[in-house]
Amino acid sequence: MRQRYKPWAKEKLQNNPYFCIQEPAKHKGAWSEVFGNDNPIHIEVGTGKGQFINGMAQQNPDINYIGIELADRVIVTALDRLLESNLPNVKLLNVNAMELPDIFAEGEVSRVYLNFSDPWPKTRHEKRRLTYKTFLDLYKGILPEHGEIHFKTDNRGLFEYSLVSFSHYGMKLNYVSLDLHNSDFEGNVMTEYEQKFSAKGNPIYRCEAAF
Ligand code: SAM
């Protein structure tokens, strides 16, 4: 996702701590207090501009969503969306997914979404893929037993790689679609990338994998 440099982004995120939680590690084990309820927490890793998380939160008011995004210049658009929708069940974290174990206690997150993750096609960059085994370790550490990852992409190579990575990890594939938009799956909320690539005619791949 190539975005213009936005030197003001960091400050804007810091100035909106209700939506963009600062020092998130301080809330480890106590995220229900941040939301003011005990509803399940679903996170999206690499949330981008937040279209998915915002749409999901509107569709499912009894679930709390947290969008995690490394790039401040990107997540600042997700913040703008939230300032407009004013949804009480979405928070944003401008952090690297590698920090997940510092931020969430074991079993504190009920589901992990990965949408259109960067494919890192070169073998020497395999460790950066968000479905590489070291990232699976991190997700496993914050999910309950049999917790699920829901993954969508238009990138066939990354999809095949991820199915193998999940299987090698001992995960169970509960759902696989090679053409989500022409499947019987209901309630799909499109991400920005999904909208862009499906408009070009690319099929969307989707799977649900359980630990
Ligand atoms: N999910 C959005 C969508 O489908 O439209 C954005 C997809 S974009 C290709 C991938 C996003 O993941 C980028 O914004 C990138 O900054 C973010 N990302 C990549 N690695 C990350 C990491 N380790 N931690 C947090 N975010 C990450």
Side-chain angles (χ1 to χ4, degrees):
M1 185 180 285
R2 204 156 273 285
Q3 290 283 320
R4 267 180 307 127
Y5 175 54
K6 296 177 184 166
W8 42 267
K10 197 88 191 141
E11 197 179 334
K12 184 164 182 178
L13 295 168
Q14 283 165 355
N15 288 341
N16 287 280
Y18 174 74
F19 287 124
C20 186
I21 306 294
Q22 306 298 305
E23 300 186 77
K26 285 191 173 166
H27 301 288
K28 182 172 177 174
W31 282 95
S32 54
E33 287 170 21
V34 173
F35 286 101
N37 60 55
D38 287 327
N39 291 341
I41 295 173
H42 293 183
I43 66 170
E44 184 189 14
V45 178
T47 205
K49 295 180 183 173
Q51 176 170 302
F52 175 80
I53 210 115
N54 208 62
M56 290 295 279
Q58 251 155 7
Q59 201 177 85
N60 306 291
D62 294 337
I63 295 173
N64 295 324
Y65 291 90
I66 301 180
I68 290 165
E69 172 56 55
L70 189 59
D72 52 20
R73 67 192 185 284
V74 178
I75 201 174
V76 78
T77 304
L79 172 64
D80 283 338
R81 255 184 231 286
L82 268 182
L83 288 169
E84 190 139 313
S85 64
N86 216 17
L87 289 166
N89 57 331
V90 190
K91 303 293 177 200
L92 301 171
L93 308 184
N94 181 206
V95 297
N96 191 319
M98 312 251 277
E99 294 174 43
L100 287 173
D102 304 326
I103 295 172
F104 297 106
E106 213 181 309
E108 195 168 22
V109 169
S110 299
R111 185 179 294 167
V112 172
Y113 286 100
L114 298 174
N115 292 317
F116 296 78
S117 308
D118 297 321
W120 295 107
K122 291 186 180 141
T123 308
R124 70 172 189 273
H125 291 147
E126 180 189 5
K127 289 182 182 165
R128 299 185 190 178
R129 297 178 197 152
L130 291 180
T131 51
Y132 182 65
K133 61 183 180 208
T134 51
F135 280 105
L136 300 184
D137 284 338
L138 303 184
Y139 310 143
K140 189 174 185 212
I142 60 170
L143 284 166
E145 207 185 349
H146 309 308
E148 293 188 352
I149 298 175
H150 291 197
F151 175 53
K152 290 196 279 192
T153 182
D154 71 316
N155 187 296
R156 178 103 192 186
L158 180 67
F159 193 65
E160 286 173 356
Y161 169 85
S162 303
L163 293 183
V164 172
S165 182
F166 295 148
S167 299
H168 280 172
Y169 202 86
M171 295 177 77
K172 186 171 164 233
L173 297 173
N174 288 334
Y175 174 100
V176 176
S177 172
L178 299 181
D179 190 357
L180 174 65
H181 293 183
N182 290 304
S183 72
D184 54 9
F185 183 79
E186 286 177 12
N188 183 46
V189 172
M190 289 224 253
T191 78
E192 279 97 359
Y193 271 63
E194 184 171 359
Q195 229 160 0
K196 187 166 135 191
F197 291 117
S198 60
K200 289 185 179 174
N202 296 6
I204 304 302
Y205 308 111
R206 182 178 184 279
C207 79
E208 295 176 7
F211 283 101

